Amino acid sequence: MSNAQFKELFQRHENNPIITVKDFPYPANSVFNAGATSFGGEALLLMRVEDRRGISHLTTARSEDGIGNWRIHDRPTLIPSPETNPEEIWGIEDPRITFLEELKLWAITYTAYSKSGPLVSLATTVDFGDFERLGPIMPPEDKDAALFPVRIKGRWAMLHRPVSTFHATGAHIWISYSPDLKHWGDHRILIPARKGGWWDAHKVGISPPPLQTDEGWLLLYHGVKRTASGAIYRLGLALLDLEDPCWVIARSDEWVFQPEEGYEVFGDVDKVVFPCGWIIDGDTVQIYYGGADKCIALATASISELLQWLKEHKSFTRKYQTTFQTFRGNLPP
Ligand code: BMA
């Protein structure tokens, strides 16, 4: 598979990067890693903005076509609130937005940077003006959380990425369940980081929220490879069973998108592509990703092409369910 073929899966927009701090109505160091959704007939981004102290907050941008003429909120939309939520003392980061049809609201999972490390917090909104904080839902260290949009067999489900001090095994994508969005359990490892020289050895994490397709839940996830000159953040695909997402139907061996353009390779953190949101329009998905922790860029892809590619490139043909037991003895390499 050549890089040219990867480019056919994801087309970078010619105006990339589509948002930088130069577009900002107030001073900031960087804008990146934005959650995305359709709101009021427009594209809405909830962007991670790092201020000039190094602390992140979230700010909305709206656009009719999701490409240009972004209307950026003239001040931070959701700021860390350490007085009420001490876990937000060092900022709030990397939001993933899921519309929960049943509750008629948007749920936002984000990283709260606490004195004990990053953790997963949840807030809800109906208008992206006022937000209700539900507080921390996973203790540190945990991040890269995204909700499924519907209940699975009566419970809410969430992907997330805890990190244990037992580093030997790497940091993996887990799935957990909740009756009420607040109390989470039935935790299990879903997509393990591979080992050795793999592009997704060491650390993996979900990127945008799971996307419901006829063939299963489509996942776009990031994998981190450590090299002598630092980490490289690339993207891969996986597919989960629609009825029971504990079952992994497919996972790509190869990455499908990687830092190549200048705005992806050079920034505050070099060689990072980091999507937190995508917006679906028929068969087209618009993927909003952070470039090198400095800017926001856009790529588009065809969902049917992604599914077809995954079918042809998956690393195994049987479904597997990851449990603690199989994790020890019976994983893909
Ligand atoms: C991850 C997250 C992202 C960031 C990436 C690269 O751990 O913190 O916010 O984009 O590292 O620095």
Side-chain angles (χ1 to χ4, degrees):
M1 178 63 56
S2 71
N3 282 342
Q5 273 168 294
F6 290 131
K7 279 184 188 138
E8 282 171 26
L9 280 183
F10 290 84
Q11 275 99 36
R12 290 175 174 84
H13 198 274
E14 58 187 6
N15 295 347
N16 274 351
I18 56 165
I19 303 178
T20 74
V21 280
K22 289 192 188 133
D23 305 310
F24 254 63
Y26 60 87
N29 169 60
S30 51
V31 52
F32 54 116
N33 301 3
T37 191
S38 297
F39 179 75
E42 294 189 307
L44 181 145
L45 301 183
L46 191 58
M47 309 176 289
R48 173 177 172 188
V49 182
E50 190 182 288
D51 67 21
R52 293 171 60 88
R53 300 170 302 165
I55 307 294
S56 291
H57 60 266
L58 308 180
T59 292
T60 55
R62 297 159 201 245
S63 155
E64 276 179 27
D65 62 6
I67 298 168
N69 298 316
W70 291 97
R71 305 189 313 280
I72 299 171
H73 199 180
D74 59 5
R75 56 188 185 281
T77 307
L78 187 62
I79 53 171
S81 177
E83 304 76 24
T84 57
N85 292 71
E87 72 281 359
E88 297 184 0
I89 181 131
W90 290 329
I92 54 178
E93 309 176 349
D94 300 354
R96 273 80 167 186
I97 306 171
T98 303
F99 182 65
L100 307 180
E101 177 71 47
E102 180 190 320
L103 304 180
K104 301 268 183 290
L105 51 74
W106 284 264
I108 301 149
T109 45
Y110 59 96
T111 304
Y113 196 170
S114 80
K115 282 189 176 170
S116 303
L119 55 79
V120 177
S121 279
L122 179 65
T124 60
T125 186
V126 292
D127 57 10
F128 289 92
D130 292 319
F131 297 82
E132 187 182 339
R133 281 175 161 87
L134 282 82
I137 52 172
M138 288 289 165
E141 181 176 341
D142 203 328
K143 53 166 69 170
D144 297 328
L147 291 171
F148 288 73
V150 291
R151 289 180 193 257
I152 311 282
K153 295 184 182 153
R155 295 184 299 174
W156 299 106
M158 180 172 70
L159 304 177
H160 58 113
R161 207 282 304 285
V163 177
S164 82
T165 49
F166 187 56
H167 281 294
T169 59
H172 319 295
I173 298 174
W174 289 59
I175 189 165
S176 301
Y177 294 91
S178 170
D180 57 4
L181 293 171
K182 179 74 181 164
H183 304 93
W184 293 87
D186 269 356
H187 313 289
R188 51 173 94 199
I189 292 171
L190 186 72
I191 310 261
R194 284 182 266 218
K195 294 187 175 141
W198 282 86
W199 68 273
D200 55 357
H202 180 58
K203 277 206 270 189
V204 289
I206 191 64
S207 285
L211 173 60
Q212 192 166 8
T213 74
D214 290 344
E215 303 192 28
W217 294 100
L218 181 62
L219 305 187
L220 180 64
Y221 73 93
H222 59 267
V224 186
K225 177 171 172 138
R226 280 188 177 150
T227 76
S229 64
I232 309 177
Y233 279 72
R234 300 184 173 107
L235 304 176
L237 297 172
L239 194 66
L240 310 178
D241 186 276
L242 216 43
E243 307 292 318
D244 184 356
C246 278
W247 292 94
V248 182
I249 300 170
R251 177 180 180 178
S252 63
D253 274 348
E254 299 171 352
W255 69 80
V256 293
F257 195 69
Q258 69 160 349
E260 285 173 12
E261 298 295 329
Y263 56 86
E264 299 160 350
V265 173
F266 304 110
D268 278 6
V269 182
D270 293 349
K271 297 187 214 132
V272 178
V273 287
F274 203 95
C276 288
W278 47 13
I279 295 179
I280 316 308
D281 181 12
D283 185 51
T284 303
V285 61
Q286 293 190 303
I287 300 146
Y288 296 91
Y289 63 99
D293 285 12
K294 200 65 187 174
C295 63
I296 294 176
L298 170 64
T300 53
S302 147
I303 297 168
S304 50
E305 274 178 34
L306 296 180
L307 289 168
Q308 185 58 32
W309 185 91
L310 188 53
K311 237 181 242 172
E312 291 163 9
H313 292 81
K314 62 186 176 185
S315 58
F316 43 88
T317 50
R318 282 185 303 123
K319 291 181 184 180
Y320 79 91
Q321 189 175 31
T322 312
T323 63
F324 285 106
Q325 206 174 353
T326 54
F327 175 61
R328 279 198 291 272
N330 185 24
L331 282 179

